[in-house]
Amino acid sequence: MNRRTVKRAALITTAVLAVGAAAGYVYLDATADVQRTGAAACTDVIPAGAERADGEAVCATLDALTAAWGRGDADAYGRQFTEDATYTTYVGTHYEGRSDITEGHRALFEDFVKGSKLAASYLDMRFPAKDVALLTGRGDDYTGGKPSAAELSKVQTYTLVRGTDGSWRIAAFHNTRRQNAMERLSFLYSPATAPEAER
């Protein structure tokens, strides 16, 4: 075989592999539907046995956070966090303290997420201690039509604490972007890795 034939065969092989990989990714992404999309209302996940008023107060904090985002109000957004809160975005940005969170969001509201709103569904709320709440849900920011619960691309965890004034504020927030194709591949390769709710 001459050099030209070898190059041509290598290019064709590379193209076929690339098309196959792309088709595989599209298939995995298209078949990676979430089974457990969560509850539409935060109050729907208040656990049995918990003080209803505490659960409602936690939800009110999330409602205030969502409303502040929708108005692009960084100061009101920041007030939902404790002074020493941490905030980790899905791209890995880590804010430390209310001031850092507020100023970071002031810039975001003026640029990247200007005019957007938040959509959420709620998976779980727990009270591991009297003045601590853990809330997990799915979420996204959007403009235009509100996405369905199945379309929300992030999984979010809020740790809230009750202050001495009785108000609940967010002490830590972690936002993880769902990797549809990788999750589906993992479940296909090793079905036992799928959470019970996704089987």
Side-chain angles (χ1 to χ4, degrees):
M1 251 192 284
N2 65 31
R3 182 176 263 180
R4 179 179 276 176
T5 303
V6 170
K7 280 185 177 179
R8 190 174 294 144
L11 286 172
I12 291 170
T13 301
T14 301
V16 168
L17 290 174
V19 168
Y25 180 87
V26 168
Y27 166 77
L28 290 170
D29 190 54
T31 60
D33 294 331
V34 173
Q35 302 301 312
R36 184 171 176 225
T37 57
C42 176
T43 53
D44 290 344
V45 296
I46 296 173
E51 289 292 329
R52 183 85 186 165
D54 288 340
E56 289 173 353
V58 165
C59 292
T61 299
L62 271 288
D63 290 344
L65 188 79
T66 298
W69 182 293
R71 295 189 311 272
D73 185 341
D75 294 314
Y77 190 82
R79 281 194 296 274
Q80 306 315 309
F81 294 87
T82 62
E83 285 289 337
D84 61 349
T86 58
Y87 189 111
T88 305
T89 72
Y90 76 91
V91 297
T93 305
H94 183 73
Y95 297 101
E96 294 183 3
R98 179 186 291 158
S99 176
D100 203 21
I101 294 165
T102 300
E103 294 312 312
H105 281 80
R106 189 179 318 283
L108 287 168
F109 293 154
E110 292 172 3
D111 194 1
F112 291 116
V113 298
K114 185 175 185 172
S116 68
K117 298 184 183 311
L118 291 181
S121 66
Y122 302 93
L123 297 169
D124 181 68
M125 182 188 295
R126 291 180 289 130
F127 291 88
K130 181 182 176 207
D131 297 324
V132 177
L134 300 175
L135 180 63
T136 306
R138 299 186 187 280
D140 233 324
D141 61 280
Y142 69 97
T143 55
K146 185 175 182 178
S148 71
E151 295 172 314
L152 300 176
S153 69
K154 299 173 186 101
V155 178
Q156 303 167 328
T157 303
Y158 298 86
T159 302
L160 295 96
V161 294
R162 185 188 351 237
T164 55
D165 63 354
S167 64
W168 288 87
R169 288 195 174 80
I170 302 161
F173 171 72
H174 190 92
N175 197 12
T176 302
R177 186 170 191 89
R178 184 169 174 260
Q179 302 295 324
N180 300 2
M182 292 303 296
E183 182 181 65
R184 178 73 172 134
L185 180 62
S186 173
F187 296 170
L188 287 172
Y189 180 73
S190 182
T193 62
E196 186 175 333
E198 297 299 322
R199 293 184 193 152

PDB file of all heavy atoms in Angstrom, residues 130-157:
ATOM      1  N   LYS A 130     -32.311  20.463  64.966  1.00  0.00           N
ATOM      2  CA  LYS A 130     -33.439  21.373  65.193  1.00  0.00           C
ATOM      3  C   LYS A 130     -33.357  22.639  64.345  1.00  0.00           C
ATOM      4  O   LYS A 130     -34.362  23.117  63.822  1.00  0.00           O
ATOM      5  CB  LYS A 130     -33.504  21.728  66.679  1.00  0.00           C
ATOM      6  CG  LYS A 130     -34.636  22.640  67.037  1.00  0.00           C
ATOM      7  CD  LYS A 130     -34.624  22.988  68.508  1.00  0.00           C
ATOM      8  CE  LYS A 130     -35.732  23.984  68.768  1.00  0.00           C
ATOM      9  NZ  LYS A 130     -35.464  24.827  69.903  1.00  0.00           N
ATOM     10  N   ASP A 131     -32.176  23.182  64.175  1.00  0.00           N
ATOM     11  CA  ASP A 131     -32.007  24.455  63.472  1.00  0.00           C
ATOM     12  C   ASP A 131     -31.282  24.312  62.136  1.00  0.00           C
ATOM     13  O   ASP A 131     -30.693  25.279  61.637  1.00  0.00           O
ATOM     14  CB  ASP A 131     -31.252  25.452  64.372  1.00  0.00           C
ATOM     15  CG  ASP A 131     -32.039  25.784  65.622  1.00  0.00           C
ATOM     16  OD1 ASP A 131     -33.281  25.858  65.532  1.00  0.00           O
ATOM     17  OD2 ASP A 131     -31.423  25.950  66.692  1.00  0.00           O
ATOM     18  N   VAL A 132     -31.307  23.118  61.557  1.00  0.00           N
ATOM     19  CA  VAL A 132     -30.630  22.859  60.277  1.00  0.00           C
ATOM     20  C   VAL A 132     -31.597  22.131  59.344  1.00  0.00           C
ATOM     21  O   VAL A 132     -32.255  21.172  59.745  1.00  0.00           O
ATOM     22  CB  VAL A 132     -29.362  21.989  60.474  1.00  0.00           C
ATOM     23  CG1 VAL A 132     -28.704  21.668  59.136  1.00  0.00           C
ATOM     24  CG2 VAL A 132     -28.375  22.669  61.413  1.00  0.00           C
ATOM     25  N   ALA A 133     -31.669  22.614  58.103  1.00  0.00           N
ATOM     26  CA  ALA A 133     -32.500  21.953  57.088  1.00  0.00           C
ATOM     27  C   ALA A 133     -31.654  21.700  55.850  1.00  0.00           C
ATOM     28  O   ALA A 133     -30.829  22.535  55.459  1.00  0.00           O
ATOM     29  CB  ALA A 133     -33.689  22.835  56.721  1.00  0.00           C
ATOM     30  N   LEU A 134     -31.859  20.538  55.235  1.00  0.00           N
ATOM     31  CA  LEU A 134     -31.223  20.197  53.966  1.00  0.00           C
ATOM     32  C   LEU A 134     -32.328  20.056  52.929  1.00  0.00           C
ATOM     33  O   LEU A 134     -33.290  19.313  53.151  1.00  0.00           O
ATOM     34  CB  LEU A 134     -30.451  18.882  54.067  1.00  0.00           C
ATOM     35  CG  LEU A 134     -29.328  18.842  55.105  1.00  0.00           C
ATOM     36  CD1 LEU A 134     -28.735  17.444  55.190  1.00  0.00           C
ATOM     37  CD2 LEU A 134     -28.259  19.852  54.761  1.00  0.00           C
ATOM     38  N   LEU A 135     -32.188  20.767  51.835  1.00  0.00           N
ATOM     39  CA  LEU A 135     -33.183  20.741  50.775  1.00  0.00           C
ATOM     40  C   LEU A 135     -32.480  20.419  49.461  1.00  0.00           C
ATOM     41  O   LEU A 135     -31.491  21.068  49.104  1.00  0.00           O
ATOM     42  CB  LEU A 135     -33.883  22.094  50.670  1.00  0.00           C
ATOM     43  CG  LEU A 135     -34.969  22.244  49.612  1.00  0.00           C
ATOM     44  CD1 LEU A 135     -36.135  21.309  49.878  1.00  0.00           C
ATOM     45  CD2 LEU A 135     -35.466  23.681  49.565  1.00  0.00           C
ATOM     46  N   THR A 136     -32.968  19.400  48.774  1.00  0.00           N
ATOM     47  CA  THR A 136     -32.397  19.012  47.489  1.00  0.00           C
ATOM     48  C   THR A 136     -33.462  19.145  46.421  1.00  0.00           C
ATOM     49  O   THR A 136     -34.627  18.802  46.657  1.00  0.00           O
ATOM     50  CB  THR A 136     -31.894  17.554  47.523  1.00  0.00           C
ATOM     51  OG1 THR A 136     -31.003  17.407  48.619  1.00  0.00           O
ATOM     52  CG2 THR A 136     -31.179  17.191  46.238  1.00  0.00           C
ATOM     53  N   GLY A 137     -33.074  19.654  45.270  1.00  0.00           N
ATOM     54  CA  GLY A 137     -34.026  19.794  44.180  1.00  0.00           C
ATOM     55  C   GLY A 137     -33.339  19.848  42.835  1.00  0.00           C
ATOM     56  O   GLY A 137     -32.121  19.699  42.731  1.00  0.00           O
ATOM     57  N   ARG A 138     -34.139  20.065  41.832  1.00  0.00           N
ATOM     58  CA  ARG A 138     -33.647  20.276  40.480  1.00  0.00           C
ATOM     59  C   ARG A 138     -33.952  21.724  40.128  1.00  0.00           C
ATOM     60  O   ARG A 138     -34.948  22.280  40.586  1.00  0.00           O
ATOM     61  CB  ARG A 138     -34.332  19.331  39.494  1.00  0.00           C
ATOM     62  CG  ARG A 138     -34.088  17.873  39.814  1.00  0.00           C
ATOM     63  CD  ARG A 138     -34.647  16.951  38.734  1.00  0.00           C
ATOM     64  NE  ARG A 138     -34.545  15.569  39.122  1.00  0.00           N
ATOM     65  CZ  ARG A 138     -33.449  14.831  39.047  1.00  0.00           C
ATOM     66  NH1 ARG A 138     -32.330  15.354  38.591  1.00  0.00           N
ATOM     67  NH2 ARG A 138     -33.452  13.571  39.419  1.00  0.00           N
ATOM     68  N   GLY A 139     -33.111  22.333  39.296  1.00  0.00           N
ATOM     69  CA  GLY A 139     -33.359  23.729  38.969  1.00  0.00           C
ATOM     70  C   GLY A 139     -32.665  24.165  37.702  1.00  0.00           C
ATOM     71  O   GLY A 139     -31.872  23.429  37.124  1.00  0.00           O
ATOM     72  N   ASP A 140     -33.002  25.370  37.296  1.00  0.00           N
ATOM     73  CA  ASP A 140     -32.405  25.987  36.116  1.00  0.00           C
ATOM     74  C   ASP A 140     -32.826  27.444  36.056  1.00  0.00           C
ATOM     75  O   ASP A 140     -33.833  27.827  36.646  1.00  0.00           O
ATOM     76  CB  ASP A 140     -32.876  25.290  34.834  1.00  0.00           C
ATOM     77  CG  ASP A 140     -31.722  24.840  33.956  1.00  0.00           C
ATOM     78  OD1 ASP A 140     -30.710  25.558  33.905  1.00  0.00           O
ATOM     79  OD2 ASP A 140     -31.843  23.783  33.336  1.00  0.00           O
ATOM     80  N   ASP A 141     -32.048  28.229  35.344  1.00  0.00           N
ATOM     81  CA  ASP A 141     -32.504  29.576  35.011  1.00  0.00           C
ATOM     82  C   ASP A 141     -33.020  29.524  33.575  1.00  0.00           C
ATOM     83  O   ASP A 141     -32.629  28.652  32.797  1.00  0.00           O
ATOM     84  CB  ASP A 141     -31.383  30.610  35.168  1.00  0.00           C
ATOM     85  CG  ASP A 141     -30.206  30.348  34.266  1.00  0.00           C
ATOM     86  OD1 ASP A 141     -29.369  29.478  34.588  1.00  0.00           O
ATOM     87  OD2 ASP A 141     -30.121  31.011  33.219  1.00  0.00           O
ATOM     88  N   TYR A 142     -33.922  30.429  33.244  1.00  0.00           N
ATOM     89  CA  TYR A 142     -34.517  30.404  31.906  1.00  0.00           C
ATOM     90  C   TYR A 142     -35.008  31.790  31.511  1.00  0.00           C
ATOM     91  O   TYR A 142     -35.239  32.651  32.356  1.00  0.00           O
ATOM     92  CB  TYR A 142     -35.688  29.404  31.850  1.00  0.00           C
ATOM     93  CG  TYR A 142     -36.893  29.833  32.644  1.00  0.00           C
ATOM     94  CD1 TYR A 142     -37.961  30.478  32.017  1.00  0.00           C
ATOM     95  CD2 TYR A 142     -36.974  29.616  34.011  1.00  0.00           C
ATOM     96  CE1 TYR A 142     -39.070  30.888  32.733  1.00  0.00           C
ATOM     97  CE2 TYR A 142     -38.078  30.027  34.732  1.00  0.00           C
ATOM     98  CZ  TYR A 142     -39.130  30.659  34.093  1.00  0.00           C
ATOM     99  OH  TYR A 142     -40.226  31.079  34.797  1.00  0.00           O
ATOM    100  N   THR A 143     -35.140  31.978  30.221  1.00  0.00           N
ATOM    101  CA  THR A 143     -35.851  33.114  29.652  1.00  0.00           C
ATOM    102  C   THR A 143     -36.864  32.512  28.687  1.00  0.00           C
ATOM    103  O   THR A 143     -36.685  31.405  28.194  1.00  0.00           O
ATOM    104  CB  THR A 143     -34.905  34.081  28.898  1.00  0.00           C
ATOM    105  OG1 THR A 143     -34.195  33.337  27.908  1.00  0.00           O
ATOM    106  CG2 THR A 143     -33.919  34.745  29.839  1.00  0.00           C
ATOM    107  N   GLY A 144     -37.939  33.210  28.440  1.00  0.00           N
ATOM    108  CA  GLY A 144     -38.978  32.643  27.575  1.00  0.00           C
ATOM    109  C   GLY A 144     -39.839  31.689  28.357  1.00  0.00           C
ATOM    110  O   GLY A 144     -40.152  31.909  29.524  1.00  0.00           O
ATOM    111  N   GLY A 145     -40.207  30.577  27.728  1.00  0.00           N
ATOM    112  CA  GLY A 145     -41.086  29.603  28.371  1.00  0.00           C
ATOM    113  C   GLY A 145     -40.411  28.852  29.499  1.00  0.00           C
ATOM    114  O   GLY A 145     -39.252  28.460  29.397  1.00  0.00           O
ATOM    115  N   LYS A 146     -41.152  28.641  30.562  1.00  0.00           N
ATOM    116  CA  LYS A 146     -40.627  27.923  31.721  1.00  0.00           C
ATOM    117  C   LYS A 146     -40.397  26.455  31.365  1.00  0.00           C
ATOM    118  O   LYS A 146     -41.275  25.798  30.814  1.00  0.00           O
ATOM    119  CB  LYS A 146     -41.615  28.028  32.884  1.00  0.00           C
ATOM    120  CG  LYS A 146     -41.120  27.433  34.176  1.00  0.00           C
ATOM    121  CD  LYS A 146     -42.117  27.685  35.282  1.00  0.00           C
ATOM    122  CE  LYS A 146     -41.604  27.129  36.602  1.00  0.00           C
ATOM    123  NZ  LYS A 146     -42.542  27.421  37.703  1.00  0.00           N
ATOM    124  N   PRO A 147     -39.218  25.905  31.688  1.00  0.00           N
ATOM    125  CA  PRO A 147     -38.953  24.492  31.371  1.00  0.00           C
ATOM    126  C   PRO A 147     -39.769  23.567  32.265  1.00  0.00           C
ATOM    127  O   PRO A 147     -40.130  23.924  33.384  1.00  0.00           O
ATOM    128  CB  PRO A 147     -37.452  24.345  31.647  1.00  0.00           C
ATOM    129  CG  PRO A 147     -37.122  25.425  32.610  1.00  0.00           C
ATOM    130  CD  PRO A 147     -38.074  26.563  32.320  1.00  0.00           C
ATOM    131  N   SER A 148     -40.039  22.376  31.764  1.00  0.00           N
ATOM    132  CA  SER A 148     -40.727  21.379  32.574  1.00  0.00           C
ATOM    133  C   SER A 148     -39.743  20.829  33.608  1.00  0.00           C
ATOM    134  O   SER A 148     -38.526  20.996  33.477  1.00  0.00           O
ATOM    135  CB  SER A 148     -41.235  20.242  31.686  1.00  0.00           C
ATOM    136  OG  SER A 148     -40.142  19.469  31.221  1.00  0.00           O
ATOM    137  N   ALA A 149     -40.266  20.145  34.600  1.00  0.00           N
ATOM    138  CA  ALA A 149     -39.411  19.555  35.637  1.00  0.00           C
ATOM    139  C   ALA A 149     -38.404  18.579  35.033  1.00  0.00           C
ATOM    140  O   ALA A 149     -37.265  18.497  35.472  1.00  0.00           O
ATOM    141  CB  ALA A 149     -40.263  18.869  36.695  1.00  0.00           C
ATOM    142  N   ALA A 150     -38.816  17.850  33.989  1.00  0.00           N
ATOM    143  CA  ALA A 150     -37.917  16.884  33.347  1.00  0.00           C
ATOM    144  C   ALA A 150     -36.782  17.571  32.590  1.00  0.00           C
ATOM    145  O   ALA A 150     -35.753  16.958  32.323  1.00  0.00           O
ATOM    146  CB  ALA A 150     -38.695  15.977  32.404  1.00  0.00           C
ATOM    147  N   GLU A 151     -36.956  18.832  32.235  1.00  0.00           N
ATOM    148  CA  GLU A 151     -35.936  19.562  31.468  1.00  0.00           C
ATOM    149  C   GLU A 151     -34.928  20.289  32.349  1.00  0.00           C
ATOM    150  O   GLU A 151     -33.941  20.812  31.834  1.00  0.00           O
ATOM    151  CB  GLU A 151     -36.618  20.590  30.560  1.00  0.00           C
ATOM    152  CG  GLU A 151     -37.482  19.982  29.489  1.00  0.00           C
ATOM    153  CD  GLU A 151     -38.299  21.011  28.734  1.00  0.00           C
ATOM    154  OE1 GLU A 151     -38.910  21.905  29.374  1.00  0.00           O
ATOM    155  OE2 GLU A 151     -38.321  20.931  27.492  1.00  0.00           O
ATOM    156  N   LEU A 152     -35.149  20.337  33.644  1.00  0.00           N
ATOM    157  CA  LEU A 152     -34.234  21.060  34.533  1.00  0.00           C
ATOM    158  C   LEU A 152     -32.876  20.364  34.528  1.00  0.00           C
ATOM    159  O   LEU A 152     -32.780  19.160  34.757  1.00  0.00           O
ATOM    160  CB  LEU A 152     -34.822  21.137  35.940  1.00  0.00           C
ATOM    161  CG  LEU A 152     -36.171  21.853  36.032  1.00  0.00           C
ATOM    162  CD1 LEU A 152     -36.716  21.796  37.456  1.00  0.00           C
ATOM    163  CD2 LEU A 152     -36.061  23.292  35.539  1.00  0.00           C
ATOM    164  N   SER A 153     -31.818  21.122  34.274  1.00  0.00           N
ATOM    165  CA  SER A 153     -30.513  20.518  34.001  1.00  0.00           C
ATOM    166  C   SER A 153     -29.563  20.471  35.190  1.00  0.00           C
ATOM    167  O   SER A 153     -28.450  19.984  35.060  1.00  0.00           O
ATOM    168  CB  SER A 153     -29.828  21.277  32.859  1.00  0.00           C
ATOM    169  OG  SER A 153     -29.460  22.578  33.276  1.00  0.00           O
ATOM    170  N   LYS A 154     -29.992  20.965  36.344  1.00  0.00           N
ATOM    171  CA  LYS A 154     -29.078  21.004  37.481  1.00  0.00           C
ATOM    172  C   LYS A 154     -29.711  20.339  38.698  1.00  0.00           C
ATOM    173  O   LYS A 154     -30.927  20.353  38.866  1.00  0.00           O
ATOM    174  CB  LYS A 154     -28.705  22.441  37.799  1.00  0.00           C
ATOM    175  CG  LYS A 154     -28.012  23.111  36.633  1.00  0.00           C
ATOM    176  CD  LYS A 154     -27.795  24.584  36.878  1.00  0.00           C
ATOM    177  CE  LYS A 154     -27.243  25.225  35.630  1.00  0.00           C
ATOM    178  NZ  LYS A 154     -28.247  25.936  34.866  1.00  0.00           N
ATOM    179  N   VAL A 155     -28.873  19.763  39.532  1.00  0.00           N
ATOM    180  CA  VAL A 155     -29.296  19.234  40.825  1.00  0.00           C
ATOM    181  C   VAL A 155     -28.665  20.138  41.866  1.00  0.00           C
ATOM    182  O   VAL A 155     -27.468  20.436  41.806  1.00  0.00           O
ATOM    183  CB  VAL A 155     -28.850  17.768  41.010  1.00  0.00           C
ATOM    184  CG1 VAL A 155     -29.264  17.256  42.384  1.00  0.00           C
ATOM    185  CG2 VAL A 155     -29.440  16.897  39.912  1.00  0.00           C
ATOM    186  N   GLN A 156     -29.489  20.592  42.824  1.00  0.00           N
ATOM    187  CA  GLN A 156     -29.040  21.614  43.763  1.00  0.00           C
ATOM    188  C   GLN A 156     -29.277  21.180  45.203  1.00  0.00           C
ATOM    189  O   GLN A 156     -30.306  20.583  45.511  1.00  0.00           O
ATOM    190  CB  GLN A 156     -29.793  22.916  43.477  1.00  0.00           C
ATOM    191  CG  GLN A 156     -29.592  23.375  42.048  1.00  0.00           C
ATOM    192  CD  GLN A 156     -30.548  24.462  41.602  1.00  0.00           C
ATOM    193  OE1 GLN A 156     -31.683  24.524  42.049  1.00  0.00           O
ATOM    194  NE2 GLN A 156     -30.069  25.318  40.721  1.00  0.00           N
ATOM    195  N   THR A 157     -28.324  21.490  46.061  1.00  0.00           N
ATOM    196  CA  THR A 157     -28.444  21.193  47.484  1.00  0.00           C
ATOM    197  C   THR A 157     -28.279  22.477  48.274  1.00  0.00           C
ATOM    198  O   THR A 157     -27.302  23.211  48.100  1.00  0.00           O
ATOM    199  CB  THR A 157     -27.379  20.165  47.926  1.00  0.00           C
ATOM    200  OG1 THR A 157     -27.513  18.990  47.134  1.00  0.00           O
ATOM    201  CG2 THR A 157     -27.545  19.811  49.389  1.00  0.00           C
TER     202      THR A 157
END
